[in-house]
Amino acid sequence: MSEAATSRRRPGEVAGAVAEQMAIPLGDAVEDKVLARPHEHMVTERVLEPSRALVPLDLAAPSLSPAERLVRLAYRIGVPGKTLASPFRKAQGIRLTATVETPLAGDRGAGVALRAGHFLVYGVKAPIGQLDFASASAKLTPPFERAVHGYGWLRDLAGCCPREQATPVATRIHAAWLDANPKPGKAAAWDVEQVGHRLLAWLVHAPLLMSAEPLRGRTLAAIDETARWLDRNVTKANDKLGEVTGWAALVAAGLLLTDGKPRRLYAEAGLAHALGDLIAEDGGVLSRSPLAQMDALALLVELSACYRAVKMDPPQAIPGMMALLVPPLLTLMHGEGGLGSWQGAGAVPAEKVAGLVRASGVRTRPLRDVRQWGFQRATGGKTILQFDAAPPPLPRHARAGCASTLAFELSSAGQRIVVNCGGAAFAGGQVPHRIEQGLRATAAHSTLVLDDANSTAVLIKGKLGAGVNEVEVDRRAIGTGRGSATRLEASHDGYALRFGLNHRRILVLRDDGTELLGEDVLLPVGKRGKTGKIGFAIRFHIGPGIELRLAEDKKGAGLALPDGTYWQFRVAGDFAGEVAIEESLWVDGNGRPQPIEQLVIQGMTSRSGGNFSWLLKQMG
């Protein structure tokens, strides 16, 4: 146990205090008796810092012959690929050498909208004929930038109808984009990540874009020019996911274009290095975003399809990395198959998650103890608990970074009971830009807030500032008077500098899934606590469709779920404050904000510390 941890109550003492206050027999924490279940044994308390660890998987570039290494070096320093691929032969005209069959399915609704003459992005329609495709002049929101300049619409269109019906729509939009962007520039369309997505989409869905001249020739010229631009600029991406996107597109170009071998050798080495910088040792991307996790996996799925198209086996790092990416993603899957709302993501629907995992070909189970990515998962019966037990991502990795440390989500039998608001990454669709920072705040998550302040500073453009630096985590199985349970304990230092307090949260989920017992503890930093009082609020955002009713004593509430089950929420009897019901919102996986309610335990507490116990229990 760390030195910092020894100054606080031992885990068994904390669990005992919770049981005493709630009058619920938890029994003693067992350190060597309940070890039968994988990933649910006792783990000694450990300190997590913002992840910098790289995956242990061998991500070295594929083994090459001396001649191939020389070709790769020559291409990197600027020798043209055609010269290296066929030095004694007349240069060939650029052409595609294979047709790619991608296993990824697009959004059928968005594809149907395109055929009807509209872009449909997170529920917002934009007429194709009225859209300004010029990168320099168009003022598009980030979701529309990705759809338009990243050509995300091509997959949606390809998946909604036969090729002969999709081709006229694709060529109309594609020709308009080429007309508006004849040369590389510096605006949104020439962000490395957008360029990578666009080039990969052109290569994978080439039959939709090159059905006839003169568009075929224009498209091939644009592919060639874009690939050469990426050769020079791929390392200038805004973050590592953007760089991985660029490298993946270059590998695809090397596979599918004539005389592409030098580019492929060069790009495979760059991709291996960038993947090592993007993904932590447990397979989670360093932005800690489920959306970024899905993007990285989708890139590798499509790249694998490009290798299959030319009848080549991908480097071992690519299937190995896919196998590493899937289990952490499944960690955030609720009972109905959708994802929890973490780090700016909405509740991504089950069919999107299942489709991506199926396309990857990876068959595995969720990780329960994801140490670097930081999301703990506990299950009991049909109940699933997700717990954010790690620091937020570092500023250079954050995308829609959220101050969500020690927040949790809970679902039972496919119904989300406690959620986070989510959806900041969808801002610019139906989610207004003006509330984007609010959705990333600590108060938008189901956790404790001190003095209406974020545990980590929320900055513009998805970035985060100072706040949580270390999180201590302990996971173990315990015995109770009525069976066994999984006990999660974590603490963070996000309020230490400002208020002299650390926040510690203990969550105990019974193995039958009918009870979640919790305690939020404020611990003074140092030997002496500060004097005076400070306001606090512990927020529980309640899932959609659940009806709340306060108890008469305002020490709890009843939760009537849509499936007819009933849960009860109670705070400890000696709590001096009250439980209140307030309005909230929840963003679904299609970017649609939905009104919900939240339970709030609020009041004033001593600056020298305090503790607040609560229970969420299924009654019938």
Side-chain angles (χ1 to χ4, degrees):
M1 185 173 291
S2 67
E3 182 178 350
T6 60
S7 66
R8 304 186 175 106
R9 284 187 293 177
R10 294 189 298 274
E13 293 174 341
V14 176
V18 176
E20 182 180 352
Q21 292 188 40
M22 300 302 297
I24 297 171
L26 286 181
D28 296 324
V30 292
E31 300 184 359
D32 57 354
K33 296 179 181 178
V34 187
L35 301 177
R37 298 185 178 181
H39 304 292
E40 291 197 6
H41 54 282
M42 189 206 82
V43 180
T44 55
E45 198 159 26
R46 58 188 179 271
V47 177
L48 296 181
E49 297 180 351
S51 180
R52 298 174 178 84
L54 305 185
V55 297
L57 182 71
D58 182 7
L59 289 177
S63 178
L64 303 178
S65 67
E68 288 175 326
R69 287 197 293 270
L70 185 61
V71 168
R72 185 176 66 193
L73 174 63
Y75 190 84
R76 185 168 66 235
I77 64 177
V79 179
K82 292 180 180 179
T83 301
L84 294 169
S86 51
F88 305 112
R89 182 164 48 88
K90 184 179 178 180
Q92 303 180 56
I94 185 171
R95 63 182 177 84
L96 294 177
T97 60
T99 299
V100 181
E101 295 291 336
T102 177
L104 291 178
D107 185 327
R108 189 177 186 280
V112 171
L114 286 166
R115 295 186 63 200
H118 298 86
F119 282 101
L120 178 63
V121 180
Y122 295 139
V124 176
K125 287 185 176 182
I128 295 172
Q130 299 178 18
L131 203 64
D132 183 0
F133 289 94
S135 176
S137 60
K139 296 187 180 301
L140 302 176
T141 62
F144 273 93
E145 283 181 353
R146 174 160 181 173
V148 173
H149 298 311
Y151 270 64
W153 57 269
L154 258 180
R155 186 188 299 162
D156 300 332
L157 184 62
C160 81
C161 60
R163 182 183 298 176
E164 58 271 17
Q165 296 178 13
T167 297
V169 180
T171 54
R172 173 195 171 196
I173 299 172
H174 181 51
W177 191 93
L178 291 177
D179 290 342
N181 299 274
K183 294 292 180 182
K186 295 183 178 180
W190 296 97
D191 171 85
V192 169
E193 185 171 359
Q194 306 287 22
V195 175
H197 279 300
R198 182 167 68 248
L199 178 58
L200 189 57
W202 286 350
L203 294 167
V204 171
H205 299 287
L208 291 181
L209 305 177
M210 296 190 291
S211 59
E213 293 290 0
L215 194 56
R216 179 186 293 123
R218 292 183 66 193
T219 301
L220 285 171
I223 287 173
D224 183 45
E225 184 175 46
T226 301
R228 286 188 282 109
W229 184 92
L230 263 184
D231 284 337
R232 301 186 302 270
N233 294 281
V234 64
T235 58
K236 300 176 184 177
N238 293 328
D239 62 14
K240 284 301 174 182
L241 180 57
E243 186 176 333
V244 165
T245 305
W247 284 119
L250 284 175
V251 173
L255 289 166
L256 297 169
L257 297 179
T258 50
D259 296 326
K261 183 176 179 179
R263 175 178 280 136
R264 174 178 64 81
L265 296 176
Y266 163 68
E268 284 176 339
L271 178 62
H273 185 271
L275 283 170
D277 287 343
L278 173 69
I279 299 171
E281 60 186 11
D282 54 21
V285 295
L286 296 184
S287 66
R288 304 191 63 224
S289 165
L291 298 179
Q293 191 87 359
M294 293 180 71
D295 284 348
L297 182 58
L299 284 169
L300 298 182
V301 168
E302 289 212 317
L303 189 55
S304 297
C306 294
Y307 278 99
R308 287 195 298 273
V310 296
K311 297 180 172 56
M312 284 183 61
D313 291 329
Q316 185 56 43
I318 292 178
M321 187 59 71
M322 287 196 293
L324 202 60
L325 284 165
V326 172
L329 185 66
L330 300 182
T331 296
L332 299 185
M333 191 169 65
H334 281 292
E336 90 288 1
L339 297 183
S341 301
W342 299 103
Q343 291 300 318
V348 178
E351 57 269 20
K352 289 186 179 181
V353 182
L356 178 58
V357 173
R358 185 167 53 249
S360 74
V362 176
R363 299 294 179 263
T364 186
R365 294 182 178 182
L367 292 180
R368 297 186 180 185
D369 185 4
V370 191
R371 302 184 184 187
Q372 293 298 328
W373 206 33
F375 296 105
Q376 296 282 328
R377 176 186 177 93
T379 59
K382 296 181 179 180
T383 301
I384 295 173
L385 170 68
Q386 300 172 8
F387 186 32
D388 184 353
L394 292 171
R396 67 176 179 269
H397 299 307
R399 295 203 141 198
C402 296
S404 59
T405 311
L406 302 198
F408 77 94
E409 289 200 351
L410 184 77
S411 65
S412 182
Q415 169 66 52
R416 297 177 190 232
I417 300 174
V418 179
V419 298
N420 301 309
C421 294
F426 300 159
Q430 291 190 57
V431 176
H433 257 304
R434 66 179 181 274
I435 69 169
E436 182 262 350
Q437 282 186 267
L439 292 174
R440 295 163 51 212
T442 304
H445 298 82
S446 293
T447 188
L448 177 143
V449 183
L450 275 182
D451 200 32
D452 291 326
N454 291 320
S455 58
T456 296
V458 174
L459 309 179
I460 62 173
K461 297 184 178 180
K463 302 302 181 184
L464 296 169
V468 177
N469 186 54
E470 292 184 349
V471 174
E472 297 178 357
V473 186
D474 177 86
R475 181 189 183 112
R476 64 184 66 200
I478 65 171
T480 74
R482 290 172 289 172
S484 57
T486 299
R487 180 184 179 282
L488 300 172
E489 178 178 341
S491 63
H492 75 70
D493 59 355
Y495 293 123
L497 289 178
R498 285 168 290 176
F499 306 124
L501 293 168
N502 285 337
H503 175 208
R504 173 160 292 194
R505 169 165 272 185
I506 303 101
L507 299 175
V508 180
L509 178 67
R510 279 186 55 177
D511 280 355
D512 64 3
T514 59
E515 287 183 3
L516 177 66
L517 178 64
E519 183 179 27
D520 288 287
V521 185
L522 293 172
L523 299 163
V525 177
K527 295 183 178 180
R528 292 187 179 182
K530 295 183 178 180
T531 59
K533 290 187 176 293
I534 188 172
F536 75 95
I538 308 174
R539 300 184 179 275
F540 303 83
H541 299 271
I542 303 301
I546 296 178
E547 296 183 8
L548 292 179
R549 178 173 294 181
L550 277 180
E552 291 184 3
D553 61 359
K554 295 187 178 180
K555 302 291 185 183
L559 291 74
L561 275 59
D563 63 1
T565 57
Y566 189 81
W567 290 65
Q568 187 177 51
F569 177 85
R570 294 292 298 177
V571 296
D574 59 351
F575 174 60
E578 294 182 346
V579 176
I581 296 177
E582 297 181 2
E583 294 180 347
S584 183
L585 67 83
W586 176 76
V587 181
D588 68 17
N590 295 313
R592 296 172 299 197
Q594 299 185 23
I596 59 171
E597 294 181 311
Q598 59 178 311
L599 290 171
V600 186
I601 305 172
Q602 55 191 340
M604 303 293 292
T605 189
S606 170
R607 286 181 175 266
S608 62
N611 60 288
F612 316 97
S613 302
W614 47 268
L615 172 69
L616 187 59
K617 182 176 181 178
Q618 183 177 355
M619 305 301 293

